[in-house]
Amino acid sequence: MTAGQRPLRVVCIGGGWTAIYLARSLKKAVKRGDVELTIVSRDNFHTFHGFIAEMLTGKVSPTSITSPNRRLFPPARFHNAEIKSVDVTQRTITTSRLLDGKEKVLEYDHLVVALGSIDDLSRYPGIAQHALQLKTFSDNFKARSHLLAMLEMGEVETDPVERQRLLTFIVVGGGFGGVEVSTELMDYFRRLARKEYPGIDPDEIRVLLVHSGERILPELAARQPKLIGYAERTIAKGGIEVLTGTRISAATRDEAILSDGTVVQTRTIISSSGTALSPLLDLMPYERDERGRVITDANLQVPGTDNVWAAGDCAAVPHPQGGTCPAVAIFGMYGGRQIGRNIERHVQGKPLKPFRFAGLGDACSLGRRKAVSHLKGMRFYGLPAWILWRLFFWWFVPTWERKADIAFDWMMAPFFGRDIVNVQVATPYGLRREHYESGQAVVRQGEVGQQIYVITAGTADIIRETPEGDVLVTTLGPGDHFGEKAVFEKSRRTATVRATSALEVLSLGENEARTLAETIQVFGAAVRELPNEPEHNPAPLPTDADRPVTPAG
């Protein structure tokens, strides 16, 4: 760079593996002053997904799988904010800070698109409301707490139906992630039932792995079918119920409805299949493949541009052996490294070089110190494969600090057992969406009321249960609400509300409802009135004979 010439401004949107290896590749150029690299991410940490199953099951602590971005990216700059828009004409990126939405505009000369992927919440009704996701660290931490809570409640539950729900766990997706989670969960639950939860019989615990394909581990189907066979036999011996050729049709608070019509009573559905792409890609006028990924050339440059690059899950990068690179971390790593090298060659006026990384191999843990793996075509099974799996993933943990933390967790676990501390993190708002299928009860007569509900779609019947039988009180539809009596009078539900179609509701927690009612007079008056209340309740409770009854209370 000549004297007085400013450095090339490179902005990377996304803080995942591509960004990490891009920063490492450009480290010398940044130090020389040839390049000014800025990485933009909503999170100020990186989550290592390779050990998610071990974090969920207490083998490693939650913080051990996170690394601070400000120790990963220097000497590059890190910009912690939400990305609001990308203007490729003006070459600007607008961000907003998480505190109050204040916006900032970043200018760039070269743009690296590394937005990764997000969970696909459109695959079946109820997935967003009732399925646990494993994409972000907060989702993983929530799932870990939920699993422990199910054991705590399951041990003391005496109702056999509810006990079955609490101790039944469904993992959706038979790829690497789903297999690792399901196998670790079964081993984890049985260990805890024997040592920590004497009130639970290990045989009460059910783990179901639901996979839409005919065989699990589709990532190995083309080149390593023998590994799949070993995995299937190992999983069967472990007691996991594998349902292949099956999908989830709907998820509710109490049930999972499968594509063959089977209804599984459960409080836990873990989603480990299906991803979507960031909506930010829609703001860019670049060609996309059939999966919505930004198409790149062999140099990882977006065709038709000389300053836009892409890699990772959001990019369709040509594979050296044909097709496109799979959406796995190692291709994002090497893609980021190659982009950095090509940007440096661009600064030096040298021709670009194509991406030639074809992969190293694959590995999948099967629990109980067993795994399947292959490295450059060599297959490994059982304990040797498990050791290789652990070493391989441990090596790619991005900081030595976290490598040490994970190694320490592994060494201490045999002596002190798994970490079973359940930190309950309160949700910031008590307003949430819920989904119910026809025939399911939203609230039941006699239950303690803790939420009020507003119907956004579908219909439901209010039913009074009497010694002479059930009595239909009224039918509710979109815009109607129920549950106020039990919440505001701290009483039990006086009726059952049952969905008569696919039903979408908003539920508002007791504390939030009371706060709003005390603060906003109009809201307080509205929530105490039930639309469609009949002039005469045909089935009043005996204890309510002297005062009006809100049927949906």
Side-chain angles (χ1 to χ4, degrees), residues 170-400:
I170 294 181
V171 179
V172 183
F176 287 151
V179 168
E180 290 183 351
V181 169
S182 59
T183 52
E184 286 289 347
L185 285 183
M186 180 58 86
D187 180 42
Y188 177 58
F189 290 145
R190 287 183 171 175
R191 285 175 179 267
L192 293 187
R194 288 193 296 266
K195 295 182 178 181
E196 312 280 358
Y197 294 85
I200 297 177
D201 184 338
D203 291 335
E204 290 184 276
I205 296 171
R206 295 179 67 196
V207 176
L208 293 83
L209 178 61
V210 178
H211 181 56
S212 59
E214 294 305 314
R215 301 189 75 183
I216 60 172
L217 300 179
E219 300 94 334
L220 301 175
R223 298 178 182 175
Q224 299 294 339
K226 290 184 178 180
L227 296 181
I228 298 178
Y230 178 87
E232 289 172 336
R233 294 190 296 272
T234 302
I235 292 173
K237 292 178 182 178
I240 296 171
E241 302 173 43
V242 181
L243 306 177
T244 56
T246 307
R247 298 177 182 272
I248 297 285
S249 295
T252 71
R253 181 188 61 186
D254 302 332
E255 300 172 348
I257 296 92
L258 306 184
S259 56
D260 62 2
T262 302
V263 176
V264 181
Q265 298 290 325
T266 182
R267 295 283 191 182
T268 306
I269 301 172
I270 299 175
S271 177
S272 187
S273 69
T275 57
L277 296 172
S278 170
L280 285 170
L281 295 179
D282 297 332
L283 304 178
M284 305 176 200
Y286 305 129
E287 187 179 0
R288 313 264 285 273
D289 71 353
E290 67 280 357
R291 293 169 55 187
R293 300 177 299 175
V294 175
I295 294 175
T296 76
D297 60 20
N299 301 322
L300 294 113
Q301 203 166 42
V302 176
T305 75
D306 60 1
N307 71 326
V308 181
W309 315 76
D313 292 2
C314 69
V317 177
H319 193 285
Q321 298 176 354
T324 56
C325 296
V328 294
I330 196 165
F331 282 92
M333 298 176 194
Y334 282 83
R337 186 177 70 174
Q338 188 62 34
I339 290 174
R341 290 175 175 176
N342 275 338
I343 288 177
E344 191 165 7
R345 294 181 71 82
H346 174 84
V347 171
Q348 297 169 352
K350 297 179 180 179
L352 306 182
K353 288 190 174 182
F355 180 67
R356 298 194 182 280
F357 178 73
L360 295 175
D362 296 298
C364 179
S365 171
L366 304 176
R368 298 181 297 168
R369 298 184 179 180
K370 294 182 180 180
V372 290
S373 62
H374 70 96
L375 181 63
K376 292 295 184 180
M378 297 178 59
R379 290 188 290 269
F380 300 87
Y381 304 87
L383 181 61
W386 181 79
I387 294 173
L388 181 63
W389 170 82
R390 268 202 165 183
L391 289 176
F392 183 83
F393 278 87
W394 180 83
W395 177 253
F396 281 102
V397 172
T399 66
W400 282 104

